[in-house]
Amino acid sequence: MSTIFTKIHSREIPGHILWEDSKCFAFLDIRPINRGHTLVVPIEEIDMWTDLPEETTSHCMKIAKSIGEAQMEAFKPKRIGLMIAGFEVPHVHLHVIPIDDMSHLDFANANPDVSNDELLADLNHLKNFLTLVDQ
């Protein structure tokens, strides 16, 4: 059975996709902890990040770094947080989050009421700063 992330990737359900290539894709979290909160997800459905092939791990980190650099420019946070938790969906996903303090790495602070318009505005803003990386 496909995960919700696979359904976003295949466009079965909507998603605010920021990046896509043959190995992974990235989209804005619909319950962002902070503006620009992005998930980087390998296309292959693997539950635990420690089970990813080395090449996939490296590629996802490379994409996460490029997204983090774009977030830094776009949203001007103090830092970019990176977290792999994996309890919500059994499909590896890296949370790349603009943060100003440690509370911005707490899912209890996620915004369940962010509007589609806000997500679309953040997506378009972030795209202006994203430098394409070699696949």
Side-chain angles (χ1 to χ4, degrees):
M1 182 163 164
S2 294
T3 69
I4 191 168
F5 297 155
T6 298
K7 290 177 181 180
I8 290 170
H9 180 253
S10 66
R11 310 312 198 262
E12 290 176 51
I13 60 175
H16 296 87
I17 297 177
L18 176 64
W19 173 265
E20 183 174 22
D21 63 28
S22 63
K23 295 181 183 128
C24 72
F25 62 108
F27 57 94
L28 295 187
D29 194 308
I30 61 169
R31 294 188 68 233
I33 294 174
N34 222 352
R35 290 186 62 205
H37 180 169
T38 302
L39 302 180
V40 177
V41 181
I43 291 171
E44 187 176 4
E45 289 182 354
I46 294 177
D47 183 13
M48 297 185 53
W49 72 270
T50 53
D51 293 332
L52 286 174
E54 183 80 25
E55 180 182 327
T56 304
T57 303
S58 296
H59 185 74
C60 288
M61 287 298 293
K62 183 177 179 181
I63 299 305
K65 182 178 185 295
S66 291
I67 290 169
E69 290 167 350
Q71 290 170 329
M72 188 63 89
E73 298 245 351
F75 300 107
K76 307 289 188 219
K78 290 182 181 173
R79 295 189 180 272
I80 301 298
L82 179 65
M83 183 171 21
I84 304 171
F87 288 103
E88 313 85 17
V89 178
H91 189 157
V92 174
H93 51 290
L94 289 69
H95 293 265
V96 187
I97 310 168
I99 63 174
D100 291 317
D101 59 58
M102 287 300 291
S103 70
H104 292 161
L105 291 177
D106 186 344
F107 290 108
N109 295 322
N111 180 0
D113 299 317
V114 66
S115 72
N116 186 61
D117 288 344
E118 289 174 288
L119 287 172
L120 191 55
D122 285 349
L123 176 69
N124 290 328
H125 183 59
L126 196 49
K127 281 182 177 181
N128 290 327
F129 295 94
L130 186 62
T131 302
L132 299 178
V133 295
D134 295 329
Q135 294 184 30

